[in-house]
Amino acid sequence: MFNPYKNYFKKNFNEKFLNNQTVNFLVKLIQNYPNNIVDIFILLKINKATSVFNILDFSTKKKL
C-alpha cells in the first residue's frame, strides 16, 4: 500500500531531531502516525526508544 507520509518522515525526521525531542512528543508523534512506528524507532537511540516504549499502550507495543 502506498504511504504518502513515508517520504515526509525521511525528509523531516532525522536521527538527531528525534533524539532531541521529549518522550511525550515522541509518543504523540507515534499516536499521530501509527503506520510509521518502525521508521521512528529505527532512528531512536536505545535509551530513548526504551523510554518511549515503556509509555506506549499495549496495542501499540504489540504492533511494534
Side-chain angles (χ1 to χ4, degrees):
M1 180 174 205
F2 176 71
N3 185 351
Y5 296 109
K6 193 154 187 93
N7 289 333
Y8 177 80
F9 266 83
K10 288 181 181 179
K11 283 183 182 179
N12 296 307
F13 294 127
N14 60 32
E15 183 177 352
K16 185 176 180 181
F17 172 79
L18 287 175
N19 284 293
N20 285 327
Q21 301 306 310
T22 65
V23 172
N24 288 332
F25 173 84
L26 294 169
V27 170
K28 288 178 185 177
L29 185 67
I30 290 168
Q31 290 170 346
N32 289 332
Y33 299 101
N35 293 331
N36 296 98
I37 190 170
V38 174
D39 297 327
I40 294 168
F41 267 85
I42 285 173
L43 297 173
L44 294 177
K45 292 181 181 178
I46 190 71
N47 293 339
K48 183 74 79 164
T50 303
S51 297
V52 171
F53 187 81
N54 287 333
I55 294 176
L56 295 174
D57 59 53
F58 179 76
S59 63
T60 306
K61 288 178 181 179
K62 187 176 176 182
K63 184 177 181 180
L64 181 61

